[in-house]
Amino acid sequence: MAPQGESALHRPLLETPDEDEITSAKQFFSQYAAESKKLWYLAGPAIFTAVAQYSLGAITQVFAGHLTTLELDAVSTENMVIAGLAFGIMIGMGSALETLCGQAYGANQLSMLGVYMQRSWVILNTTCLILLPIYIFAYHILRFFGEEEEISRMAARFALYMIPQLFAYGCNFPLQKFLQSQSKVMTMAWISGVAMLFHIFLSWLFIVQFQWGLPGAAASLNISWWIVVLGQFIYILLGYCPGAWTGFTWGAFRGLGAFARLSIASAIMLCLEFWYYMLLVVLAGRLKNAEVAVAAISICINLSGWEIMIFLGFNAAISVRISNELGAGRPRAAKFSILVVVVSAASIGIAFMALVLILRNVYPIPFTNSKEVQEVVSNLAVLFALALLLNSVQPVLSGVAVGAGWQWLVAYINLGCYYIVGLPLGFFLGSKLNLGVKGIWSGMITGVGLQTLVLTGITLATNWKKEAAQAESRIRKWGGVGMSKNDEENGTENNHKPFLA
């Protein structure tokens, strides 16, 4: 064991999750295999859940192809712009629970998980009310950004139909983080899979058979999202989360200010990442051959989006592992988890990188018939492959940040790396130096690469023993202490009496 006063940087690099130093290669590989099994147990179902829920909107767009071109454009616009904005904010604010629930679970403060989830419900559904004007005034917003009038009018109508989905977001993400912190990821995967299959059936029934048009598309999507929400909540009510759910409590309305600040930090952190890629398309639209540039950038972002779904699973897994281990006061186990997940994610990223380079003249073909666009995308292969490699590690480091509660710090880092360095550099290289799509993509990679380097440096320099102490302090701050002996025996916290069990 390292001396107590020694800094994190000077402790042995490889230490096992049970706080012992690794003394042999055999011991290292044994511990690596054990930790890898834990990570894949979390990451595998989390990846499927992310893909299944991401696919709900995509499936609606596919079935909307049975309608007119105008209605298809309206569904796509609402899904990408209006719902996309709400989705980013909701999943960002919900990720605050990855820190709080994960650390409380690791500290064995199970009763606080239900309280935290209910606080998140209050904050996220209040945010839904604040976001309502975006849905109500969608026409004016879309017209402001230059969208064609008929598409704006139809998309605005569809946005009104999709208001129930907004509140489903507000209920769903706290439920997800609550279950995820307890490693109930397989349940989430099953519920999301059933909802996706049911959504396919409903979309066929309402759009193809009944020919209900946009109202049918909206009904099937709303119902499917609420199936996800109700399925998860029913699972909790049936008693499969003993100790973590003890009923509704007035404690959900305590400490909302500090809780809201962490939720807002989480939302800003993630939204700055989501919007970064959206703005690349805007920059491409300002190039000389804008139509080809936008198509090429969109193909790369589309492919990158599916890859990111995989690494969001790793993001969720490492967030759970870090928060659990810090909450349990095992900082060296947290460090070991980071090592394992970074190696695993980077290995997959290298595989994707190799595939793109090998298939550089093939992978654009399914997306476009334009030879010019195919050529631009193929010429982008080296830069695109490098982006895929960076995008394999970057979400993992963001997951470490969420697990440790560094949301505000990462928000500032994202603002600097993406919007002060990446986008201006991309605009300068693409427009001023006439490097076109390559210039924009080079700027993007520079921003992501810089952010990855900064997060790597912070992670390596972190005193994880101190982070574990801060996790304990955070749990105390939000009500994880103060139990009477009787409350401890009954698994309930004396400041959070239930008003409805």
Side-chain angles (χ1 to χ4, degrees):
M1 298 285 287
Q4 190 172 1
E6 194 174 16
S7 75
L9 287 174
H10 296 94
R11 293 188 185 126
L13 179 62
L14 301 176
E15 299 169 292
T16 62
D18 61 5
E19 306 299 284
D20 294 328
E21 296 179 19
I22 288 179
T23 57
S24 67
K26 181 180 179 181
Q27 187 181 6
F28 168 78
F29 286 114
S30 174
Q31 293 295 335
Y32 186 96
E35 180 62 31
S36 184
K37 183 177 180 181
K38 292 177 184 178
L39 285 167
W40 275 105
Y41 175 81
L42 294 168
I47 290 169
F48 179 82
T49 299
V51 170
Q53 294 186 5
Y54 182 80
S55 298
L56 293 180
I59 290 167
T60 300
Q61 288 181 227
V62 170
F63 276 94
H66 290 274
L67 307 174
T68 66
T69 301
L70 177 61
E71 288 174 310
L72 174 59
D73 288 343
V75 171
S76 301
T77 301
E78 191 280 336
N79 194 40
M80 289 290 294
V81 180
I82 306 300
L85 175 66
F87 182 89
I89 293 173
M90 290 292 104
I91 193 173
M93 296 190 75
S95 71
L97 285 191
E98 292 186 38
T99 302
L100 299 174
C101 282
Q103 292 183 359
Y105 184 78
N108 203 31
Q109 297 284 348
L110 293 183
S111 63
M112 291 309 302
L113 271 66
V115 178
Y116 289 154
M117 179 174 67
Q118 291 171 67
R119 285 180 189 167
S120 190
W121 275 339
V122 172
I123 291 169
L124 264 67
N125 280 282
T126 300
T127 305
C128 288
L129 293 174
I130 296 172
L131 291 176
L132 262 183
I134 296 175
Y135 283 72
I136 295 171
F137 300 106
Y139 170 77
H140 302 285
I141 293 171
L142 292 171
R143 289 291 291 156
F144 176 79
F145 285 105
E147 185 60 77
E148 195 268 336
E149 183 173 357
E150 285 191 58
I151 295 176
S152 297
R153 195 175 302 280
M154 190 74 74
R157 194 175 121 209
F158 189 66
L160 291 176
Y161 296 152
M162 293 310 303
I163 288 175
Q165 182 194 50
L166 171 64
F167 288 91
Y169 288 162
C171 295
N172 175 62
F173 294 117
L175 282 165
Q176 276 196 347
K177 305 310 178 185
F178 172 85
L179 293 170
Q180 180 181 298
S181 66
Q182 302 168 73
S183 301
K184 307 283 188 181
V185 286
M186 192 60 72
T187 298
M188 292 164 50
W190 274 107
I191 293 171
S192 298
V194 169
M196 182 175 67
L197 293 175
F198 200 66
H199 180 56
I200 294 172
F201 169 73
L202 285 181
S203 298
W204 170 81
L205 185 67
F206 293 167
I207 299 173
V208 179
Q209 291 297 109
F210 293 167
Q211 297 185 349
W212 286 351
L214 287 184
S220 63
L221 192 52
N222 284 325
I223 291 170
S224 299
W225 267 105
W226 277 101
I227 287 173
V228 173
V229 172
L230 294 175
Q232 292 172 145
F233 189 51
I234 290 170
Y235 174 83
I236 294 169
L237 290 181
L238 289 176
Y240 290 106
C241 301
W245 175 262
T246 56
F248 291 100
T249 170
W250 294 115
F253 298 94
R254 296 165 56 94
L256 288 177
F259 203 99
R261 284 192 292 274
L262 183 60
S263 297
I264 292 169
S266 301
I268 292 173
M269 184 189 94
L270 286 181
C271 285
L272 286 174
E273 293 186 14
F274 291 158
W275 296 339
Y276 184 49
Y277 290 94
M278 291 171 61
L279 287 173
L280 293 179
V281 178
V282 176
L283 287 183
R286 300 175 67 90
L287 297 177
K288 291 180 180 178
N289 194 353
E291 186 176 341
V292 172
V294 169
I297 289 283
S298 298
I299 289 170
C300 291
I301 291 176
N302 191 356
L303 286 169
S304 181
W306 287 107
E307 186 221 25
I308 287 174
M309 287 299 108
I310 294 173
F311 293 107
L312 281 180
F314 282 105
N315 175 294
I318 191 60
S319 176
V320 171
R321 293 293 299 128
I322 291 294
S323 57
N324 284 177
E325 297 297 355
L326 290 180
R330 294 193 293 266
R332 295 175 186 172
K335 289 168 60 179
F336 195 84
S337 294
I338 295 169
L339 171 68
V340 174
V341 75
V342 167
V343 171
S344 300
S347 299
I348 297 174
I350 290 170
F352 278 124
M353 184 179 182
L355 276 175
V356 166
L357 293 176
I358 293 169
L359 302 175
R360 62 186 303 163
N361 296 318
V362 177
Y363 72 86
I365 295 175
F367 294 91
T368 178
N369 293 322
S370 169
K371 295 294 183 184
E372 188 178 3
V373 174
Q374 289 176 15
E375 184 178 352
V376 171
V377 176
S378 296
N379 290 337
L380 207 62
V382 174
L383 290 173
F384 181 48
L386 181 58
L388 292 182
L389 178 60
L390 288 173
N391 284 335
S392 68
V393 177
Q394 184 271 337
V396 169
L397 295 175
S398 293
V400 172
V402 170
W406 302 339
Q407 282 91 336
W408 274 118
L409 174 62
V410 179
Y412 290 127
I413 292 170
N414 288 351
L415 184 63
C417 295
Y418 293 162
Y419 296 88
I420 296 178
V421 176
L423 285 176
L425 180 61
F427 176 74
F428 177 75
L429 294 175
S431 297
K432 302 302 180 182
L433 296 186
N434 295 319
L435 294 179
V437 174
K438 278 190 175 181
I440 290 178
W441 203 261
S442 296
M444 184 275 291
I445 289 177
T446 302
V448 175
L450 181 60
Q451 189 241 30
T452 303
L453 286 175
V454 172
L455 287 181
T456 300
I458 291 172
T459 302
L460 290 173
T462 294
N463 185 329
W464 289 99
K465 185 174 182 180
K466 183 179 178 181
E467 291 297 321
Q470 289 180 346
E472 181 181 356
S473 174
R474 187 178 290 114
I475 294 167
R476 287 176 178 273
K477 177 180 178 180
W478 277 309
V481 295
M483 291 186 182
S484 68
K485 185 175 181 181
N486 183 58
D487 287 325
E488 288 179 339
E489 292 172 352
N490 291 317
T492 59
E493 212 279 315
N494 60 6
N495 290 326
H496 308 290
K497 299 295 186 184
F499 65 80
L500 180 61

